[in-house]
Amino acid sequence: MLSAYTGNQVRAAESPLLEAGLGGELMQRAAYGLAQACAAELQVTGGTYGRAVVVLVGSGNNGGDALYAGA
């Protein structure tokens, strides 16, 4: 079974860090986790060498995370 946090739970967890001015660091950590998960998926399907990845980024708070992960 997949488990997930609600939007309210995530906002509550992030709030102290954002209030402390650590939004950039929080975004980089989220991006690192996303990049690692994507790399692991690519490993399962033939590795990362020579592969192309497309990052589709919409508006909203997660756009920065996706851009960092793509980089």
Side-chain angles (χ1 to χ4, degrees):
M1 176 198 300
L2 294 175
S3 62
Y5 295 101
T6 67
N8 287 336
Q9 289 172 315
V10 172
R11 280 187 285 281
E14 291 178 342
S15 181
L17 297 170
L18 295 172
E19 289 173 10
L22 299 174
E25 290 86 349
L26 184 62
M27 188 182 312
Q28 289 176 345
R29 286 182 179 201
Y32 179 78
L34 176 59
Q36 293 299 309
C38 292
E41 185 64 27
L42 289 171
Q43 288 294 348
V44 171
T45 60
T48 57
Y49 182 77
R51 303 285 292 271
V53 176
V54 175
V55 179
L56 302 175
V57 181
S59 61
N61 292 339
N62 292 327
D65 299 351
L67 290 174
Y68 270 126

